[in-house]
Amino acid sequence: MNVHEELLVAGEWRKPAAEARIDVVSPSTEEVIGRVPDAGAEDVDAAVRAARSAFDHGPWRAMDVTERAAVLERALQLLGSRIDEISTLVTSEMGLPTSIAGVQIPGALDTGRYFLQVAQGDPVSEVRQTQLCAAAVVKEPVGVVASIAPWNGPFNLAIAKIFPALVTGCSVVYKPAPETPLDAFVVAEALTQAGLPAGVFNLITGGRETGAALVAHPGIDKVSFTGSTAAGRDIGRECGASFKRVQLELGGKSAAIVLDDADVATTMAGLGVGCFFNTGQVCAAYSRVLLPASRYDELAAALVATAESFVVGDPFDPATTMGPLVSARQRDKVFSYLAAGKDEGATVATGGGAPDGLDKGFYVAPTVFTNADNSMRIAREEIFGPVASVLRYDTIEQAIEIANDSDYGLHGAVFTTDPERAAAVARGVRTGTFSVNAFIYNTEAPFGGVKNSGIGRDTGREAVQAYYELKTINLDAPTAALFG
Ligand code: NAD
């Protein structure tokens, strides 16, 4: 049992003022495996004040970027020495199969290193000769960042949200999701042991109310949020009213468009990952699959076989390729979409309920709905489970139109052996990210969405830029010499 009675505030592990606690439940055994504080307004206030004081009066933001990167590199090394422990925590708290955690957790550390390299290679000051004077355009850290994460990739999202903010000189108050808070304590320990000055990183745990109190706090300069579109809308409204900078990575309903010349093996490899990876709890998932009428039956049958090839079960079994959903609530939500799909007239080609032989755990069988159309709820709303809705189209123009007929715009794909057509479809679909003949989450390129999928970009060089404000300093001749 992982019991945490304290939060990291101002460089110390402190008992929270709030007495409430959150039970962390294993999605595979349904047993309570951990307990963390459910931080209240007083705890949020203490954490933000600590981050504010560290930013306004501490040494971190004034340090050279290479000095900051050295501290953060030490933290990554410490995390690297605890990889097995982190993998076990993530598998326990969210049900991520060990076969995937073994790749994803070390990969997250590489992403952290990538951000450190980007920041060190990026000039933070540039002098421009303007008609009036020389002007220095200087990048300064945006300030105190509230960073709020969902449960579907706890450790990798923690690294991807925290490291770009810290390396630029910001202070952070980090709140993981209440379902998956355990690995964040290891991150906090590593940052502290690495020598991060007190208050630069603060960890609070809690649910929606804790997050809302954090976002509303006047000491916050920027909110970096990954989560649902509904919560993102509330956060965007709050940040708009108080002029906080805001970065929102929200939901998706991405379409994979399979063209009539697609190679079956390549397509199924991409759709297998795109539709079912992480039990479909992926914002960028290909939850709509658009098949050409001329090959509909053949490709739909191949997708059914792909879905049925997943080994669903105990995430600690190395043979398992699909674990449970994170919580009973999420499982019930997915079940409600399975019912909606059936009611609206789609055909359950495989799955459609709980898998056989698993009497404990929040499992859902990988499901393919055929004969879906784009007006159905299973084609319009984010399900966040292992469910693919298969739609039929006649022309490429029609396929692009269907793909774009969505409130979301996060990701998408085309599968074809014709590069010209791949490029045309990639340009025609209005999303923030797109993949050709694959499902790729590329942390070295910008990732994010348009429309209801959010604002801003979370990865790539752009993730680092997002934690800077630009300041222009109009110079007189003697001062200009100092800015070279
Ligand atoms: P959620 O929005 O319910 O919660 C996400 C986080 O925000 C949690 O830490 C939660 O406690 C907190 N929170 C909830 N409401 C809040 C509010 N009003 N103010 C402040 N904080 C609040 O989402 P979830 O169910 O944990 O995660 C699933 C969602 O996340 C899906 O919609 C998925 O698409 C999205 N997601 C998006 C991306 C992306 O990069 N676009 C990545 C992963 C997940």
Side-chain angles (χ1 to χ4, degrees), residues 149-152 175 208 211 225-228 249-251 283 382 384:
W151 40 259
N152 65 328
K175 191 194 87 60
R208 202 196 72 81
F225 174 77
T226 302
S228 63
E249 297 293 348
L250 309 177
C283 49
E382 184 178 56
F384 228 55

Side-chain angles (χ1 to χ4, degrees), residues 147-153 157 161 175-179 206-216 223 225-235 248-252 281-284 326 329-330 333 382 384 408 410 441 447-449 453-454 458:
S147 199
I148 301 176
W151 40 259
N152 65 328
L157 284 171
K161 295 187 92 58
K175 191 194 87 60
E179 295 85 353
R208 202 196 72 81
E209 285 181 17
T210 310
L214 183 56
V215 169
V223 177
F225 174 77
T226 302
S228 63
T229 292
R233 187 171 281 118
D234 289 344
I235 292 168
L248 302 170
E249 297 293 348
L250 309 177
Q281 302 167 110
V282 175
C283 49
V326 73
R329 187 173 69 110
Q330 188 61 19
K333 183 180 157 200
E382 184 178 56
F384 228 55
Y408 295 102
L410 188 57
Y441 174 59
F447 176 81
S453 293
D458 243 20

Side-chain angles (χ1 to χ4, degrees), residues 158-453:
I159 299 294
K161 295 187 92 58
I162 295 166
F163 276 68
L166 290 180
V167 76
T168 55
C170 293
S171 297
V172 171
V173 180
Y174 181 65
K175 191 194 87 60
E179 295 85 353
T180 56
L182 301 178
D183 60 290
F185 286 85
V186 182
V187 176
E189 283 165 17
L191 287 166
T192 310
Q193 284 166 15
L196 201 70
V200 172
F201 178 79
N202 305 272
L203 173 69
I204 57 167
T205 50
R208 202 196 72 81
E209 285 181 17
T210 310
L214 183 56
V215 169
H217 198 292
I220 296 292
D221 295 303
K222 167 167 177 154
V223 177
S224 169
F225 174 77
T226 302
S228 63
T229 292
R233 187 171 281 118
D234 289 344
I235 292 168
R237 198 178 291 123
E238 174 65 39
C239 291
S242 53
F243 297 106
K244 292 180 179 113
R245 277 59 182 147
V246 65
Q247 196 167 328
L248 302 170
E249 297 293 348
L250 309 177
K253 194 73 202 174
S254 302
I257 302 176
V258 184
L259 301 192
D260 57 9
D261 62 355
D263 172 66
V264 177
T266 307
T267 304
M268 292 308 139
L271 293 183
V273 180
C275 301
F276 302 115
F277 176 74
N278 215 22
T279 322
Q281 302 167 110
V282 175
C283 49
Y286 300 150
S287 48
R288 293 182 295 158
V289 177
L290 276 55
L291 299 183
S294 60
R295 290 181 69 190
Y296 189 89
D297 291 344
E298 172 212 349
L299 291 166
L303 183 59
V304 167
T306 302
E308 290 174 349
S309 70
F310 279 85
V311 181
V312 183
D314 176 3
F316 281 103
D317 181 339
T320 295
T321 53
M322 183 181 286
L325 290 159
V326 73
S327 63
R329 187 173 69 110
Q330 188 61 19
R331 188 250 339 252
D332 294 345
K333 183 180 157 200
V334 174
F335 278 163
S336 78
Y337 278 108
L338 297 182
K342 292 171 198 168
D343 286 352
E344 286 178 300
T347 307
V348 178
T350 187
D356 294 334
L358 291 165
D359 43 349
K360 270 230 162 76
F362 311 130
Y363 292 97
V364 174
T367 297
V368 176
F369 274 115
T370 50
N371 301 316
D373 77 53
N374 210 37
S375 65
M376 294 177 178
R377 283 183 61 209
I378 55 167
R380 302 211 72 80
E381 298 175 19
E382 184 178 56
I383 299 175
F384 228 55
V387 183
S389 302
V390 184
L391 290 75
R392 186 188 304 262
Y393 72 85
D394 290 309
T395 64
I396 296 185
E397 294 69 29
Q398 191 192 8
I400 293 173
E401 206 169 298
I402 294 170
N404 286 337
D405 177 15
S406 174
D407 293 336
Y408 295 102
L410 188 57
H411 189 209
V414 61
F415 290 88
T416 174
T417 47
D418 179 342
E420 299 275 342
R421 298 210 292 172
V425 175
R427 291 202 178 92
V429 176
R430 197 170 158 247
T431 56
T433 325
F434 202 82
S435 298
V436 175
N437 284 322
F439 176 92
I440 298 177
Y441 174 59
N442 186 352
T443 52
E444 297 186 14
F447 176 81
V450 300
K451 301 195 268 184
N452 291 6
S453 293

